[in-house]
């Protein structure tokens, strides 16, 4: 059984395409559509995928599980995991292009900002 897609994102250089399916993020090499890695760790649907404009090969994910995670694609590993930091699920996210700042929007209409430096 395949999970429905909740979001998809190209890396800034177009080399990777990241695709959220349920709790997992599948990262493909765009040109060949070959699966490069699967990021496993969220406990609920991934709602946002961001490629960091500040660190090459870094992906940030947010989820209905009320956490965000930072992944190192070069080593296919988790490098940071937040605790549950909201009473409401994360529905959207953005990274400031000039500062290492993550903005998360929640289901209860709140904006949360985090320094990810």
């Amino acid at each position: 059984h395949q999970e429905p897609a909740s979001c998809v994102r190209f890396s800034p250089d177009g080399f990777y395409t990241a695709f959220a399916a349920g709790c997992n993020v599948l990262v493909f090499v765009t040109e060949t559509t070959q699966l490069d890695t699967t990021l496993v760790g969220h406990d609920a649907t991934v709602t946002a995928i961001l490629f960091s404009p500040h660190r090459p090969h870094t992906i940030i994910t947010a989820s209905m599980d009320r956490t965000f995670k930072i992944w190192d694609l070069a080593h296919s590993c988790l490098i940071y995991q937040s605790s549950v930091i909201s009473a409401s699920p994360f529905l959207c996210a953005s990274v400031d292009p000039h500062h290492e700042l993550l903005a998360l929007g929640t289901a209860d209409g709140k904006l949360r900002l985090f320094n990810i430096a």
Side-chain angles (χ1 to χ4, degrees), residues 8-11 14-19 26-31 51:
V8 64
R9 181 84 58 195
F10 286 104
S11 62
F15 186 80
Y16 292 112
T17 305
F19 175 88
L26 290 77
V27 182
F28 296 89
V29 175
T30 304
E31 188 175 308
F51 283 87

Side-chain angles (χ1 to χ4, degrees), residues 3-114:
E3 297 285 338
S6 54
C7 58
V8 64
R9 181 84 58 195
F10 286 104
S11 62
D13 62 4
F15 186 80
Y16 292 112
T17 305
F19 175 88
C23 303
N24 302 322
V25 175
L26 290 77
V27 182
F28 296 89
V29 175
T30 304
E31 188 175 308
T32 63
T33 66
Q34 178 179 343
L35 182 64
D36 183 75
T37 191
T38 301
L39 306 175
V40 178
H42 281 290
D43 294 326
T45 301
V46 174
T47 55
I49 303 168
L50 305 161
F51 283 87
S52 172
H54 310 290
R55 296 184 222 170
H57 306 290
T58 302
I59 286 184
I60 302 162
T61 58
S63 169
M64 297 288 281
D65 66 8
R66 301 171 291 155
T67 69
F68 70 89
K69 299 182 187 309
I70 302 175
W71 308 85
D72 178 352
L73 274 184
H75 299 97
S76 299
C77 67
L78 181 66
I79 55 176
Y80 178 81
Q81 174 177 306
S82 75
S83 57
V84 173
I85 49 179
S86 170
S88 293
F90 296 132
L91 299 181
C92 55
S94 186
V95 174
D96 184 309
H98 305 291
H99 304 94
E100 291 194 66
L101 192 64
L102 173 66
L104 294 167
T106 62
D108 62 357
K110 296 200 167 121
L111 171 67
R112 297 183 179 268
L113 299 175
F114 299 93

